[in-house]
Amino acid sequence: MLGFASVAQAQPKARILLKVAPDTRHFWCRYTVRLPADTARGPRFFNLGRNFSVLGVRSPRLSGLSIRPYLYPAFQDTVQGIALGYRNASRRRKRVTIIYAGTLSDRFATARVLEFSRSTLWLPFHPYQEDAPLAYTLDVQVPAGYTAVSTCPPVRQRAGRFRFRGRTSAIEPTVLVGRQFHRLAAAPPGPAVAVVKVEPLLPVDTLLLAEATRICGYYNKTIGRRDTIQRFTVLLPGTNRNAFALLDNAVDITYSDFDVRKRGDRLILAHEISHKWWAYGSISSYEEWLNEAFATYSSLLYLQASGDTTAFRQELNARLKDATGVPAIIGFDRRKYDYPTTRRVVYAKGTAVLAALHARVGNELFMRILAATAAHKIAATKAFLVLVAQEAGMETSQWLRQQLSR
């Protein structure tokens, strides 16, 4: 059971003040984090996007500071490394404040919106802990005539000032800044699903809202039955880049032509919504299969449950084909392989293993395993194997380890 507690440790708390000048795409940020006492020994390190300027770093008893760019293997890109030294190895909580500024590129800014999201890499984080849980308060200041939206409604709001609170991964606090946002909301009963869009609403957005509501309802009865979605937000900034889930019950879909009538887009939506539960495996190691393979197979299960069994079989077969001939999941060192191979291991082979487990134990037990995995917020393969042993027996757990090791 030790593996089940891996995300239940004391969480850092951050206070973020973001000031935005939309006309110039410029921003200024003060990020203050209080680190739990049990993580406060020795030097501390933070990563920050390489295009931003660090203006100052403050922390009690700080004795040394260095800021330098370096290649961060997890992102296969250069980031700024901020290293802090302390005079002693006190186990007291440490408060760290990093002040920085920058200008958003065309990837994250249009004439209508500025997007501060995990892809923007606008928040400091500990190396290889970008997916660690974080409790945060986010204060946003914008000029008159502008507004800010996030993954949930603001807890406080007045002219040009917005305050948001939430719990999510370290790099995921998200805010969109623009002059106007359009909103659709699902009618009760069911989860409070909303679509927030920068561009004017179209009929396809109504279809998106309906599909997102159906997906949330299906997952609440299956994989999320022990930890259901009460609210969910679909953000549509129109920056036309990618789609990704946010642990704080939201998804950021930047594609300007997103249409759930297309199978691929429907699968993307189902995949990303399921990351409400599949988000705790480290994205810097093979444990990411606990995120991506589980989300991929969950989206296929939704496709099957919606009645499109032919599409389910076609999509599953495509992933089984991609999984052929790739290295084992357990022990996979992504630093030694290119991204296409890593993706085939983490997404396709993981999906193939889950499909095999599903076939072995049957639908009722498999869904119980998924629901328990989600409820425990499993973050390590070892913990998943322990859970499978408890739910399906040691023989099945040993079989599963073999599947993951070959």
Side-chain angles (χ1 to χ4, degrees):
M1 293 294 291
L2 291 177
F4 295 171
S6 57
V7 299
Q9 301 169 354
Q11 295 179 9
K13 297 181 179 180
R15 184 73 178 263
I16 308 162
L17 173 59
L18 174 67
K19 299 180 180 181
V20 183
D23 290 345
T24 61
R25 301 182 177 181
H26 189 75
F27 75 92
W28 177 96
C29 186
R30 184 180 68 213
Y31 179 92
T32 299
V33 62
R34 292 184 178 273
L35 305 174
D38 59 357
T39 65
R41 301 191 64 158
R44 301 300 302 172
F45 301 90
F46 290 88
N47 285 345
L48 182 65
R50 57 185 168 87
N51 295 323
F52 308 139
S53 300
V54 178
L55 305 177
V57 179
R58 301 194 300 263
S59 183
R61 297 172 297 280
L62 182 66
S63 62
L65 172 67
S66 68
I67 302 173
R68 63 177 181 84
Y70 79 103
L71 180 64
Y72 184 48
F75 290 172
Q76 297 183 340
D77 199 358
T78 299
V79 300
Q80 293 184 81
I82 304 172
L84 295 79
Y86 291 90
R87 296 188 185 92
N88 55 57
S90 170
R91 292 186 61 86
R92 290 184 294 178
R93 294 197 308 169
K94 285 183 169 60
R95 184 179 71 253
V96 179
T97 297
I98 303 173
I99 301 171
Y100 53 98
T103 302
L104 296 190
S105 69
D106 291 343
R107 296 187 70 223
F108 308 106
T110 69
R112 290 180 178 269
V113 68
L114 277 72
E115 176 194 346
F116 296 86
S117 69
R118 65 175 296 147
S119 293
T120 317
L121 206 61
W122 70 286
L123 292 171
F125 64 94
H126 299 311
Y128 302 103
Q129 296 182 45
E130 50 273 308
D131 49 353
L134 176 76
Y136 70 91
T137 298
L138 171 59
D139 289 299
V140 183
Q141 297 182 10
V142 296
Y146 284 87
T147 189
V149 300
S150 186
T151 55
C152 58
V155 296
R156 185 181 302 172
Q157 176 181 346
R158 58 187 176 88
R161 303 290 188 270
F162 302 84
R163 172 170 290 179
F164 304 97
R165 285 200 181 100
R167 292 179 181 271
T168 190
S169 298
I171 62 172
E172 284 188 355
T174 296
V175 64
L176 306 180
V177 174
R179 288 191 177 275
Q180 184 178 19
F181 293 93
H182 306 275
R183 181 183 178 89
L184 287 171
V193 180
V195 172
V196 180
K197 189 179 181 183
V198 176
E199 301 290 341
L201 293 168
L202 299 172
V204 71
D205 300 314
T206 302
L207 298 178
L208 169 60
L209 176 66
E211 189 71 13
T213 303
R214 284 192 290 268
I215 292 169
C216 290
Y218 168 73
Y219 286 153
N220 278 351
K221 295 177 182 178
T222 54
I223 63 176
R225 68 181 74 164
R226 294 169 59 177
D227 180 19
T228 58
I229 289 176
Q230 301 302 314
R231 64 162 179 85
F232 199 88
T233 305
V234 180
L235 298 172
L236 301 174
T239 44
N240 207 26
R241 193 185 59 258
N242 57 2
F244 50 89
L246 304 168
L247 191 57
D248 198 9
N249 291 344
V251 60
D252 188 348
I253 301 174
T254 72
Y255 301 119
S256 57
D257 61 345
F258 195 77
D259 186 346
V260 294
R261 291 172 296 185
K262 296 182 289 187
R263 183 198 301 177
D265 287 359
R266 192 161 70 253
L267 281 173
I268 287 174
L269 183 63
H271 178 110
E272 301 302 343
I273 290 177
S274 78
H275 274 306
K276 182 265 192 294
W277 299 277
W278 316 129
Y280 298 97
S282 170
I283 66 174
S284 304
S285 72
Y286 70 83
E287 302 291 11
E288 191 182 16
W289 86 280
L290 294 167
N291 305 342
E292 301 303 345
F294 278 64
T296 299
Y297 197 58
S298 295
S299 69
L300 297 183
L301 291 176
Y302 172 72
L303 194 65
Q304 183 182 47
S306 67
D308 199 344
T309 55
T310 299
F312 165 79
R313 180 50 57 185
Q314 290 174 345
E315 295 290 341
L316 178 59
N317 286 341
R319 286 153 181 82
L320 296 178
K321 182 179 179 180
D322 281 348
T324 303
V326 298
I329 293 175
I330 291 180
F332 178 73
D333 187 349
R334 57 197 305 156
R335 295 172 299 179
K336 298 178 181 179
Y337 295 90
D338 58 15
Y339 179 71
T341 302
T342 298
R343 188 176 178 89
R344 289 174 64 196
V345 171
V346 170
Y347 286 74
K349 188 160 190 173
T351 298
V353 169
L354 289 175
L357 177 62
H358 193 176
R360 177 183 173 92
V361 302
N363 191 66
E364 181 178 352
L365 179 52
F366 182 74
M367 288 301 185
R368 193 166 76 227
I369 290 172
L370 289 188
T373 304
H376 286 297
K377 297 178 170 58
I378 296 294
T381 301
K382 286 184 179 180
F384 180 58
L385 290 169
V386 170
L387 185 146
V388 170
Q390 293 174 346
E391 296 287 346
M394 184 58 68
E395 183 178 344
T396 293
S397 180
Q398 292 173 342
W399 169 87
L400 179 60
R401 179 183 291 274
Q402 292 175 353
Q403 302 302 307
L404 293 167
S405 300
R406 67 183 188 184

